[in-house]
Amino acid sequence: QRCFGQRFLRLAAPEGRLLDPRNSLGLSRLQDGDSLIAVAQQPKIAATRDAFALWCVGGDRIVTWGDPDEGGDSSSVQDQLRNVQQICGTGGAF
């Protein structure tokens, strides 16, 4: 996936399982001759008064920036943010 240089591209195995870009091909359980499916993900954005969050549905990374007191610093919970489907912004938090 990194070779394509597309940040919002995921590869899927023939049965539709999304591949983890951190795993090697050996760990992905692919067989010789398997076809892969490229899935372009649409990035989403949410905002508070003074912060923003960017993610892709089902992705494993959320980028936040802005005022840390308004949701702009998610570094302390980044390891918990997996397979995110939706983020809602309020006045001062996500």
Side-chain angles (χ1 to χ4, degrees), residues 4 18 20-21 27 30 39 50 52-53 58 68 70 89-90 93-94:
F4 289 109
L18 289 178
D20 187 333
L27 291 174
L30 293 172
V39 179
D50 296 311
F52 301 90
E70 302 286 333
T90 65
F94 293 109

Side-chain angles (χ1 to χ4, degrees), residues 2 12 20 23 47 54 74 86-88:
R2 289 184 205 125
D20 187 333
N23 289 346
L54 178 73
S74 60
Q86 183 176 6
I87 295 179
C88 295

Side-chain angles (χ1 to χ4, degrees), residues 44-46 53 55-59 62 81-89 94:
K44 308 284 185 187
I45 193 163
W55 80 100
C56 286
V57 172
I62 296 173
L81 303 174
R82 300 285 180 256
N83 197 26
V84 174
Q85 301 299 309
Q86 183 176 6
I87 295 179
C88 295
F94 293 109

Side-chain angles (χ1 to χ4, degrees), residues 60-74:
D60 60 359
R61 181 146 190 256
I62 296 173
V63 178
T64 56
W65 68 97
D67 186 340
D69 294 329
E70 302 286 333
D73 181 5
S74 60

Side-chain angles (χ1 to χ4, degrees), residues 70-82:
E70 302 286 333
D73 181 5
S74 60
S75 60
S76 65
V77 295
Q78 198 61 229
D79 62 329
Q80 300 172 44
L81 303 174
R82 300 285 180 256

Side-chain angles (χ1 to χ4, degrees), residues 11-19 28-31 34-37:
L11 297 179
E15 73 277 8
R17 174 180 45 89
L18 289 178
L19 301 179
S28 65
R29 302 187 322 255
L30 293 172
Q31 301 294 320
D34 278 351
S35 297
L36 297 177
I37 301 163

